[in-house]
């Protein structure tokens, strides 16, 4: 149970990481923060979901790509790749630095405004479980 809570806490923290740096007082303070869930999409043994957050002209996006050991509901997650897209390279550099020492993260790379890495938090969980719980966010 503790491991499961850690996984969901990580997801919430990651969504917050996408939005918090963007709320810095910049430009027009009349802009409202925005955020939207990018729905779950299945395709064979893969599924994707994510979130987009923004403030004014600054927008960031995080997309999770899950790979399963099959295409059915009971297929288990074997890999999770994350791609963060930031509005400016300085935010990507900061994100890369923050992830560098995090437990459960591997293959961390940055290319300009994009940061990619793999996480092991969802490994072993079934497609049905992940789809049902992530769509409730």
């Amino acid at each position: 149970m503790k491991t499961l809570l850690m996984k969901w806490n990580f997801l919430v923290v990651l969504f917050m990481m996408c939005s918090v740096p963007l709320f810095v007082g910049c430009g027009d303070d009349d802009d409202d923060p925005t955020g939207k869930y990018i729905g779950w999409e299945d395709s064979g043994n893969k599924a994707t979901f994510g979130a987009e957050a923004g403030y004014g002209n600054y927008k960031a996006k995080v997309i999770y790509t899950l790979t399963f050991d099959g295409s059915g509901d009971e297929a288990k997650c074997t890999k999770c790749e994350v791609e963060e897209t930031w509005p400016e390279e300085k935010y990507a550099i900061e994100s890369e630095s923050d992830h560098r020492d995090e437990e459960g993260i591997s293959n961390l790379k940055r290319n300009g405004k994009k940061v990619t890495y793999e996480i092991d938090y969802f490994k072993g969980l079934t497609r049905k479980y992940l789809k049902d719980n992530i769509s409730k966010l």
Side-chain angles (χ1 to χ4, degrees), residues 37-87:
Y37 168 67
I38 300 170
W40 181 279
E41 287 187 30
D42 279 315
S43 177
N45 72 330
K46 293 196 183 257
T48 60
F49 70 94
E52 189 173 73
Y55 186 80
N57 292 330
Y58 289 89
K59 295 197 183 328
K61 185 189 318 186
V62 61
I63 299 292
Y64 294 79
T65 301
L66 305 170
T67 303
F68 295 91
D69 61 5
S71 59
D73 281 346
E74 296 307 312
K76 293 190 176 177
C77 181
T78 59
K79 183 178 182 181
C80 178
E81 299 168 292
V82 182
E83 180 181 274
E84 300 175 359
T85 305
W86 295 94

Side-chain angles (χ1 to χ4, degrees), residues 26-134:
C26 54
D28 187 0
D29 286 341
D30 294 335
D31 292 331
D32 291 326
T34 60
K36 80 174 187 178
Y37 168 67
I38 300 170
W40 181 279
E41 287 187 30
D42 279 315
S43 177
N45 72 330
K46 293 196 183 257
T48 60
F49 70 94
E52 189 173 73
Y55 186 80
N57 292 330
Y58 289 89
K59 295 197 183 328
K61 185 189 318 186
V62 61
I63 299 292
Y64 294 79
T65 301
L66 305 170
T67 303
F68 295 91
D69 61 5
S71 59
D73 281 346
E74 296 307 312
K76 293 190 176 177
C77 181
T78 59
K79 183 178 182 181
C80 178
E81 299 168 292
V82 182
E83 180 181 274
E84 300 175 359
T85 305
W86 295 94
E88 293 181 19
E89 190 172 6
K90 67 182 178 180
Y91 298 124
I93 291 168
E94 185 176 324
S95 176
E96 177 189 29
S97 177
D98 289 345
H99 291 313
R100 189 152 311 282
D101 296 323
E102 282 184 43
E103 186 178 330
I105 290 184
S106 60
N107 297 327
L108 177 65
K109 297 174 190 152
R110 184 185 57 79
N111 185 3
K113 299 177 188 179
K114 291 191 184 234
V115 178
T116 59
Y117 51 93
E118 293 178 25
I119 58 174
D120 61 7
Y121 302 112
F122 301 121
K123 283 184 179 178
L125 298 175
T126 65
R127 178 190 305 260
K128 180 175 178 16
Y129 177 82
L130 288 168
K131 184 177 181 178
D132 289 348
N133 286 286
I134 288 170

